[in-house]
Amino acid sequence: MARETDSDASAKIVAVVLDLLNTEGYEAVQLRTVAARAHVSLAKIYRLFRTRDELIITALAQWMDANAYADVAPPEPGESVRETLIRVLRSVFEPWERNPKMLEAYHHARTGPGGERLDTQGLLAVLPAAEAALRGLDPDYLADLGLIMGNMALALIGRFAAGTLPITEIRSTMERTAYRMTADNATAARRGGR
């Protein structure tokens, strides 16, 4: 009988963590439970993943690559900045809508030790599409767009994790934000002031 490699054990452990995150949530990921379900020792888990946080972040990073970032693509010929932003937002947030416990886990993990790894992963996943769509735009506008869209996403995810916002409102609010950030809002602003 072949001896299990660290890579095989790691894959089993991560699969168990993903199942727990997706079915029972972030708090259900207890290392004793993971060890029992993956049929490995606690010592093996600690040898492969130094902390529970590292294990959860590793599992989430794999899930995000396979789901939230799998369909992020650069702009299609003739696609406007707005159309690209909305398409990217849909490809990122629709998998979260289908897996709300994963988004809750993401929120908890990204605010804990090592969580910046998840933020970096997201940035690297959407940056090629964003750079291609936004090439040639005013640098100050780009900085504002990134700041507003990024902070809006984090605020909405936080509200969802706190239970004050339905998950389906995240994507639609992000799309409205993208629309407002790419529209000429002067007419609407004048009309409101009358």
Side-chain angles (χ1 to χ4, degrees):
M1 182 177 206
R3 188 165 182 253
E4 182 176 67
T5 67
D6 283 352
S7 179
D8 292 338
S10 179
K12 282 188 348 185
I13 293 165
V14 167
V16 167
V17 170
L18 287 172
D19 182 60
L20 285 168
L21 289 172
N22 205 25
T23 59
E24 299 177 43
Y26 183 82
E27 295 303 325
V29 180
Q30 300 302 317
L31 295 186
R32 289 188 190 283
T33 304
V34 173
R37 290 188 184 185
H39 306 290
V40 299
S41 68
L42 274 173
K44 174 77 109 177
I45 291 176
Y46 281 115
R47 191 166 56 76
L48 297 171
F49 306 95
R50 292 174 305 183
T51 65
R52 175 180 179 262
D53 292 320
E54 182 182 322
L55 174 55
I56 290 172
I57 287 169
T58 298
L60 282 168
Q62 286 184 21
W63 186 90
M64 290 162 51
D65 274 343
N67 295 279
Y69 305 133
D71 296 327
V72 173
E76 297 171 5
E79 191 174 49
S80 70
V81 169
R82 178 183 306 146
E83 290 166 336
T84 301
L85 288 174
I86 289 174
R87 183 176 45 75
V88 168
L89 288 168
R90 285 182 181 157
S91 67
V92 169
F93 283 102
E94 283 177 350
W96 293 119
E97 287 178 5
R98 292 188 298 271
N99 301 275
K101 288 191 182 297
M102 297 302 282
L103 186 56
E104 287 177 19
Y106 165 80
H107 173 72
H108 289 295
R110 73 161 294 281
T111 58
E116 65 279 353
R117 176 177 155 197
L118 297 174
D119 291 340
T120 301
Q121 177 188 8
L123 183 62
L124 293 174
V126 300
L127 201 56
E131 281 182 339
L134 305 173
R135 190 174 293 126
L137 297 179
D138 177 80
D140 290 336
Y141 172 76
L142 290 177
D144 290 346
L145 181 65
L147 182 68
I148 291 167
M149 297 296 289
N151 285 324
M152 180 64 80
L154 293 178
L156 294 169
I157 291 168
R159 286 193 55 208
F160 161 72
T164 63
L165 183 76
I167 196 165
T168 54
E169 290 295 314
I170 296 172
R171 183 171 49 89
S172 62
T173 303
M174 290 299 298
E175 288 178 6
R176 284 197 316 274
T177 304
Y179 175 81
R180 287 294 178 198
M181 291 297 298
T182 57
D184 179 358
N185 294 301
T187 302
R190 275 194 307 275
R191 190 171 50 236
R194 287 186 185 156

